[in-house]
Amino acid sequence: MKAYRASILSFATDREPGPCAALEEDGLLVVGPDASGRQRVQASGPYRMIKALFPAVPIEHFPGRVIAPGFIDMHNHFAQTNVIGSPADGLLPWLERFTFPEEQRFSSAQYSADAARFFLDELLRNGVTTALSFATCSTESVDALFCEAQQRRMRLISGLCLMDRHAPAGVLNRAAPDGSRNACEQSLLDSEALLQRWHGADRLGYAITPRFAPSCSEEQLRGAGYLAQRYPEAWIQSHVAENRDEIAWARQLFPGSASYLATYADFGLLRRRAVYAHCIHIDDQDRTLMRDSGAVAAVSPTSNLFLGSGFFDYATADRIGLQYGLASDVGGGTSFSPFHTMLAAYYVAREGQSKAGLSLSPQQLWWQHTAGAASALGLDGVIGNLQPGCEADFVVLNPKATPLLARRSAQAGNLDELLFAMIVLGDDRLIERTVISQAEDALFTIERP
Ligand code: GUN
Ligand code: ZN
């Protein structure tokens, strides 16, 4: 066992929705293996009290630092690191001009492994300890990402991108080399084989991953829905209602469905553990459909601002009870940093303020990227918080990491002011250390030199 002394940020409950952050000014976090050897939080609370309960446990002291749950990125694309900051006139031209050509390169196992290494290290450097990530249409890309995540003992969810039409041949799913199966059939068989190989291996999870309805044939969506029913513990990830041209296209391709979102319902792809990126241009009927099915939204504000897609409607999502969490959407999104994502979410909610009087509080923003995201993924009590029993994924933050942060955070009179100073002024320099729960009796850490 090992203990860490610092200020400790946690959320009062991971069962009930809603933010209720608390900061233990002089706290102690005790971490140790469970019966299966996985590192979990054993205790967390005031230093004096917890130390007395664990007198023999060695303590590492971080004066002036804040220990907080590792961040959860609910939606990104590991193959789009090289695409960040590619300007285009909206989503569809951006996919064609920049994204598809880059993703095509991931048919190489070597290219995929190099990209996966950089991507995961960049997540960890930014304090992100769990991600739900798109791979590409190549099985090599999926294996590469899972292999690298497994080596780092990360909790990571990913899956083979399903896309059998409306893109250049090099980026689509491939037919069987001997011609015995078309791309759609092969992609579904590959998905199932990858799911069986990776879902539940250490801390990895599989997500059935139709890119978005316009990129999938009816047969492919039907097959994805069949897998979703057959493997109810696997996640589903896709995109919906991000951009008006995309929506018009989806409606044209699936005219029989009541809405773009309903297309996914019609193929059995709305259920718990289904995560839909964006959900911007949807109506209350769609929100209700999502809520009732247990599907959730991955809100990607830096991406939505960068691609000019629109603004997630927080107030209406809350009113209807649609669950959501924050996401970078790298490479449509502009940053790996959860601080940048939280700040963009704040701006987006301000845009909706005139309509609903809603301004997100710093605690709400932080919750959406930790305990709230965990809950949306069905992983509450497992990650995203520092209560006893949670996996020991956490970050050590230095609120004095830059001169401006030091100056501003010294003026913070309460928890909200401290959190807001970090959200507004923070980036990867704030993350002094990222600690990952390991299966062995050790903790994997990435430390800032
Ligand atoms: N819709 C379909 N594919 C993508 C993608 O790669 N990024 C974003 N932002 N939206 C998508
Ligand atoms: Zn995306």
Side-chain angles (χ1 to χ4, degrees), residues 37-80:
R38 187 170 292 176
Q39 296 285 336
R40 291 185 190 274
V41 175
Q42 303 293 332
S44 174
Y47 168 75
R48 281 183 191 290
M49 206 175 91
I50 304 293
K51 181 176 165 37
L53 297 174
F54 296 87
V57 174
I59 296 173
E60 192 169 358
H61 191 188
F62 297 97
R65 307 299 195 262
V66 177
I67 287 180
F71 291 102
I72 298 169
D73 189 341
M74 277 189 61
H75 173 79
N76 61 34
H77 299 254
F78 103 87
Q80 293 181 11

Side-chain angles (χ1 to χ4, degrees), residues 77 80 91 94-95 99 211-212 239 242 278 303 307 329:
H77 299 254
Q80 293 181 11
L91 170 69
W94 175 82
L95 285 171
T99 308
R211 182 173 207 126
F212 63 162
H239 300 86
E242 174 179 4
H278 309 300
S303 169
L307 291 174
D329 194 29

Side-chain angles (χ1 to χ4, degrees), residues 260-304:
Y260 179 8
L261 181 86
T263 309
Y264 294 114
D266 293 345
F267 289 100
L269 290 164
L270 282 194
R271 62 147 163 79
R272 72 177 253 291
R273 294 203 165 194
V275 180
Y276 283 86
H278 309 300
C279 304
I280 296 172
H281 310 286
I282 58 175
D283 62 15
D284 284 2
Q285 218 172 338
D286 283 342
R287 291 185 184 91
T288 307
L289 183 60
M290 286 189 78
R291 179 199 67 199
D292 291 347
S293 68
V296 301
V299 183
S300 308
T302 70
S303 169
N304 300 156

Side-chain angles (χ1 to χ4, degrees), residues 43-175:
S44 174
Y47 168 75
R48 281 183 191 290
M49 206 175 91
I50 304 293
K51 181 176 165 37
L53 297 174
F54 296 87
V57 174
I59 296 173
E60 192 169 358
H61 191 188
F62 297 97
R65 307 299 195 262
V66 177
I67 287 180
F71 291 102
I72 298 169
D73 189 341
M74 277 189 61
H75 173 79
N76 61 34
H77 299 254
F78 103 87
Q80 293 181 11
T81 306
N82 291 354
V83 177
I84 297 176
S86 301
D89 195 12
L91 170 69
L92 301 177
W94 175 82
L95 285 171
E96 298 249 334
R97 293 231 334 255
F98 302 106
T99 308
F100 291 156
E102 174 62 15
E103 290 193 12
Q104 202 161 325
R105 303 201 167 101
F106 286 72
S107 54
S108 153
Q110 184 62 48
Y111 192 87
S112 299
D114 288 346
R117 275 192 287 277
F118 182 88
F119 174 79
L120 294 176
D121 287 345
E122 195 63 14
L123 287 180
L124 290 171
R125 233 171 48 71
N126 279 281
V128 176
T129 49
T130 293
L132 174 57
S133 189
F134 263 63
T136 72
C137 292
S138 83
T139 55
E140 290 84 352
S141 75
V142 183
D143 282 329
L145 185 61
F146 277 134
C147 272
E148 291 296 329
Q150 193 173 37
Q151 276 177 25
R152 288 162 181 73
R153 306 288 175 198
M154 271 182 89
R155 187 171 270 287
L156 181 112
I157 307 165
S158 186
L160 180 73
C161 180
L162 297 173
M163 171 160 67
D164 65 355
R165 61 175 177 169
H166 297 145
V171 77
L172 295 172
N173 298 120
R174 294 181 295 244

